[in-house]
Amino acid sequence: IMQNIFENDLKQINDKVDLSSKFGDLEPELLEMMRGMLQFNPVTRLSAKQCLDSPIFDNIRNKKNENIK
């Protein structure tokens, strides 16, 4: 029984949602960032630093005041 529950959970995790169908009005760069942030595997998931380094935030960031290593 536990094996079946686990297999069903994995199937749901592997069923990808097309973000562009839900958030089609967003810029493609934002959709790509969302895909990266929502990766289940932590190895392939974007880090906070990777997201902040995206050009998407260039017009609102003040890198001189940041203390991110």
Side-chain angles (χ1 to χ4, degrees):
I1 293 174
M2 290 304 289
Q3 180 70 23
N4 289 341
I5 293 171
F6 181 70
E7 287 174 2
N8 288 338
D9 287 346
L10 279 180
K11 177 163 178 15
Q12 288 176 352
I13 289 169
N14 289 326
D15 290 342
K16 292 184 179 182
V17 173
D18 180 17
L19 292 176
S20 59
S21 69
K22 298 203 180 282
F23 304 101
D25 55 333
L26 293 180
E27 298 175 22
E29 295 84 9
L30 287 172
L31 288 171
E32 281 303 311
M33 182 182 293
M34 286 176 63
R35 285 184 189 101
M37 292 169 56
L38 295 172
Q39 291 292 313
F40 183 74
N41 184 341
V43 173
T44 58
R45 187 181 314 134
L46 291 178
S47 68
K49 182 170 180 358
Q50 288 172 309
C51 292
L52 288 173
D53 285 341
S54 169
I56 293 168
F57 297 112
D58 284 350
N59 62 341
I60 60 172
R61 288 182 72 188
N62 186 348
K63 293 183 182 182
K64 294 177 189 174
N65 292 334
E66 294 178 6
N67 187 18
I68 298 175
K69 306 243 183 228

